[in-house]
Amino acid sequence: MNGGGLVISLDFELNWGVHDVFRYGQYNKNLYGVRKALPRILALFEQYDIHATWATVGLLFAESKAEMAHYLRGIPVKYDNMRFAAHSQLAKVGENEQEDLLHFGKSLIEEIKRTPHQEIGSHTFSHFYCLENGQTEAAFCADLHATKTISEGYVAPMKSIVFPRNQVNKDYLAACLEAGYVCYRGTENHVLYDAQKFTKKGRLLGAKKWLDSYWNLTGHHMATLEDMQEDQLINIRSSAFLRPYCSPLRVFEGLKVNRIKEGMLKAAQAQAFYHLWWHPHNFGKHLDKNLAMLEELLSYFQTLRSQYDFQSYSMYEVAELCESRSKQQK
């Protein structure tokens, strides 16, 4: 019997994931901080034998601004709010990674590739929003094709996809399947986390999610292999977002970490899976405090591994377990 496990996924996007949220330059400390955070996260993963999925925006594979422009021309997305579109940022992009650390990431992808047990998955090519007004399935398929083309021969064919802003569009799962993906990260199984348009997110919803990170309002969101096989694509639902250290809320840091530990323990006891996710740029500020929090969780995971056979998995490794289980049942 499988003893369940900890699944970790990171949404690796640099400025492509936040250009429509922050004024230009406002979030730069976090974004530049990724260059220090990512290698140290990888070092911890290697130390604790952690398998993880890095859902990577395809634009980060590009080696020049011209290459980015070439691929973006092939994605005919027309959001009602064109502020969301990646190509609206091109005027601010430098010529290459040496010149522009906020929009290029191939050297960082190389570091992920060199680290054992790390899967490189997709966060779409252009940080594509699958629920916003104006986008279409044809534009989404063009985006999937761009990721496949730019990464071909450089990384293994991608098998896991994470929808930007967690805008899971069930109508697009067949297109993902056709493009070679076998699994995706669904949202927590609670109305508070239902996929929705970016424009619909209000402050009250955000506040409730913050509270849920510190106090258990919605449950532990663990999942079994059986739960994951509801859709065409295997749904490796999120259990929790690992919120970064927040100085004004520092007295509550222990509550946040304990909330995650409790979820991991419940999953280990139930032989289920607990899926933790965050962005490398979340660790870009307060790096030492964030790494200490991560190491505390990984150390606790090690305890659960020895006590309950609670293992570490990338998203695709869990999907493989699902497929193996499915074959055994036939």
Side-chain angles (χ1 to χ4, degrees), residues 49 216 293 307 314:
D49 192 24
N216 183 358
M293 168 182 68
Q307 287 182 358
S314 67

Side-chain angles (χ1 to χ4, degrees), residues 254-322:
L255 289 176
K256 179 179 70 182
V257 171
N258 286 341
R259 166 100 165 96
I260 292 168
K261 284 182 177 178
E262 281 172 20
M264 287 164 63
L265 174 62
K266 295 287 184 191
Q269 290 171 334
Q271 297 187 321
F273 294 83
Y274 190 85
H275 189 167
L276 191 62
W277 72 277
W278 70 96
H279 311 85
H281 61 64
N282 296 135
F283 281 24
K285 265 169 72 174
H286 307 299
L287 179 57
D288 289 337
K289 285 190 162 58
N290 283 314
L291 288 167
M293 168 182 68
L294 178 59
E295 184 158 21
E296 184 179 343
L297 290 170
L298 297 184
S299 175
Y300 185 64
F301 159 74
Q302 217 168 30
T303 303
L304 297 178
R305 178 157 49 191
S306 60
Q307 287 182 358
Y308 297 96
D309 190 29
F310 194 60
Q311 297 297 324
S312 172
Y313 295 100
S314 67
M315 285 174 62
Y316 181 47
E317 287 169 341
V318 176
E320 287 182 307
L321 290 176
C322 283

Side-chain angles (χ1 to χ4, degrees), residues 15 97 118 133 141 171 202 205 299:
N15 196 47
E97 189 169 2
Q118 305 306 300
N133 293 337
C141 288
D171 293 338
L205 185 70
S299 175

Side-chain angles (χ1 to χ4, degrees), residues 10 21 27 55-56 85 118 133 138 171 174 190 225 243 281 314 318:
L10 298 96
V21 181
Y27 196 63
T56 304
Q118 305 306 300
N133 293 337
D171 293 338
H190 189 277
L225 295 178
R243 290 193 183 276
H281 61 64
S314 67
V318 176

Side-chain angles (χ1 to χ4, degrees), residues 211-229:
L211 284 172
D212 191 37
S213 298
Y214 295 88
W215 290 276
N216 183 358
L217 306 180
T218 65
H220 292 300
H221 307 294
M222 53 197 180
T224 63
L225 295 178
E226 190 179 15
D227 298 331
M228 295 176 192
Q229 291 173 300

Side-chain angles (χ1 to χ4, degrees), residues 15-304:
N15 196 47
W16 298 112
V18 296
H19 68 84
D20 50 347
V21 181
F22 297 103
R23 288 193 312 278
Y24 197 72
Q26 188 185 1
Y27 196 63
N28 278 8
K29 190 167 183 184
N30 283 75
L31 295 173
Y32 284 121
V34 170
R35 303 272 159 179
K36 289 182 179 172
L38 187 143
R40 291 181 65 184
I41 292 169
L42 286 171
L44 276 180
F45 285 176
E46 196 162 3
Q47 181 185 339
Y48 286 90
D49 192 24
I50 296 297
H51 301 212
T53 296
W54 296 75
T56 304
V57 164
L59 278 158
L60 298 179
F61 285 86
E63 294 184 6
S64 68
K65 181 175 180 171
E67 190 180 8
M68 286 179 177
H70 164 75
Y71 281 104
L72 287 171
R73 276 196 295 273
I75 303 168
V77 62
K78 290 187 171 61
Y79 300 113
D80 285 6
N81 184 347
M82 285 304 286
R83 179 171 66 93
F84 297 150
H87 67 252
S88 70
Q89 288 301 293
L90 269 182
K92 295 169 182 165
V93 173
E95 290 303 318
N96 53 42
E97 189 169 2
Q98 288 70 39
E99 202 178 289
D100 184 346
L101 300 175
L102 301 182
H103 295 98
F104 293 86
K106 199 157 187 186
S107 69
L108 295 172
I109 296 170
E110 192 58 49
E111 293 197 47
I112 298 167
K113 273 180 69 178
R114 281 198 300 266
T115 307
H117 309 305
Q118 305 306 300
E119 174 198 9
I120 295 176
S122 175
H123 200 34
T124 71
F125 183 82
S126 62
H127 206 252
F128 191 100
Y129 297 144
C130 292
L131 294 177
E132 296 303 329
N133 293 337
Q135 59 77 34
T136 63
E137 186 171 358
F140 177 66
C141 288
D143 186 283
L144 291 180
H145 180 69
T147 295
K148 188 173 186 175
T149 309
I150 201 168
S151 64
E152 208 158 26
Y154 183 66
V155 297
M158 294 181 182
K159 299 295 184 185
S160 307
I161 186 164
V162 171
F163 292 88
R165 299 264 187 273
N166 293 310
Q167 289 191 0
V168 176
N169 188 331
K170 294 281 182 86
D171 293 338
Y172 292 179
L173 296 184
C176 293
L177 201 61
E178 204 171 312
Y181 296 98
V182 298
C183 61
Y184 72 100
R185 188 181 73 211
T187 57
E188 290 91 322
N189 197 8
H190 189 277
V191 67
L192 193 59
Y193 295 96
D194 283 353
Q196 58 182 219
K197 293 176 184 175
F198 187 43
T199 40
K200 288 245 176 109
K201 291 183 179 177
R203 286 186 180 175
L204 181 60
L205 185 70
K208 285 178 180 175
K209 288 181 180 178
W210 267 91
L211 284 172
D212 191 37
S213 298
Y214 295 88
W215 290 276
N216 183 358
L217 306 180
T218 65
H220 292 300
H221 307 294
M222 53 197 180
T224 63
L225 295 178
E226 190 179 15
D227 298 331
M228 295 176 192
Q229 291 173 300
E230 305 161 349
D231 298 317
Q232 299 155 286
L233 242 60
I234 292 162
N235 180 2
I236 306 170
R237 283 186 182 277
S238 165
S239 303
F241 169 55
L242 180 59
R243 290 193 183 276
Y245 175 82
C246 178
S247 184
L249 297 176
R250 57 188 172 276
V251 294
F252 298 115
E253 282 294 296
L255 289 176
K256 179 179 70 182
V257 171
N258 286 341
R259 166 100 165 96
I260 292 168
K261 284 182 177 178
E262 281 172 20
M264 287 164 63
L265 174 62
K266 295 287 184 191
Q269 290 171 334
Q271 297 187 321
F273 294 83
Y274 190 85
H275 189 167
L276 191 62
W277 72 277
W278 70 96
H279 311 85
H281 61 64
N282 296 135
F283 281 24
K285 265 169 72 174
H286 307 299
L287 179 57
D288 289 337
K289 285 190 162 58
N290 283 314
L291 288 167
M293 168 182 68
L294 178 59
E295 184 158 21
E296 184 179 343
L297 290 170
L298 297 184
S299 175
Y300 185 64
F301 159 74
Q302 217 168 30
T303 303
L304 297 178

